[in-house]
Amino acid sequence: MCIFCKIINKEIPSDFLFENGDVVAFKDIHPKAKTHILIVPKKHIETIKDLKEDEADEVLVGKMVLVAQDIAKGLKLDGYQLLFNVGRSAGQEVMHIHLHLMSHQ
Ligand code: 5GP
Ligand code: ZN
């Protein structure tokens, strides 16, 4: 099982900033900005390249962005970056899709 699946299954204790049936969010262990949060779907999908053109994946990615928006709003962030690293050659280390929410605020 991948490290993010273990976090999602609470085999590795972590503080979730958000959890619902589809998505969790937690702080990055090695923050690269003052605020650095990962938004992760509960469904194990290795990379953005593996997304299917079906409604379920369409909705899931939309939910991830809306969770990021909601967390940013809660933290009163004015500006922030949302980033997917796609594939090892682009620097993706954890092969379970995740959206980086980063802000210098
Ligand atoms: P990637 O390079 O795959 O886009 O990003 C993976 C991110 O996950 C990195 O920023 C890394 O610091 C973070 N990370 C890796 N392992 C763990 C972990 O066990 N817990 C948390 N909270 N973050 C992790
Ligand atoms: Zn996984």
Side-chain angles (χ1 to χ4, degrees):
M1 195 186 284
C2 91
I3 186 120
F4 284 180
C5 282
K6 285 182 185 163
I7 289 173
I8 291 159
N9 290 337
K10 302 182 171 90
E11 285 175 40
I12 298 174
S14 341
D15 287 334
F16 289 167
L17 287 93
F18 177 89
E19 179 176 16
N20 70 10
D22 304 304
V23 179
V24 300
F26 49 86
K27 286 186 181 169
D28 195 292
I29 202 168
H30 295 126
K32 285 149 203 90
K34 190 175 165 205
T35 301
H36 190 171
I37 294 161
L38 302 172
I39 294 103
V40 186
K42 289 189 171 177
K43 181 179 174 189
H44 178 91
I45 303 169
E46 289 206 347
T47 82
I48 289 289
K49 292 186 275 187
D50 300 302
L51 285 172
K52 297 191 196 75
E53 284 189 38
D54 62 18
E55 207 181 321
D57 281 0
E58 248 175 48
V59 169
L60 186 62
V61 175
K63 283 180 178 171
M64 290 171 71
V65 174
L66 289 173
V67 167
Q69 183 210 55
D70 194 51
I71 291 171
K73 210 181 283 176
L75 294 174
K76 298 190 168 26
L77 301 177
D78 177 51
Y80 49 91
Q81 294 172 302
L82 296 178
L83 172 79
F84 284 108
N85 289 323
V86 184
R88 289 195 195 280
S89 59
Q92 185 179 354
E93 289 169 8
V94 178
M95 303 311 278
H96 179 138
I97 61 173
H98 48 280
L99 180 59
H100 294 261
L101 163 60
M102 289 176 287
S103 177
H104 297 295
Q105 296 175 309

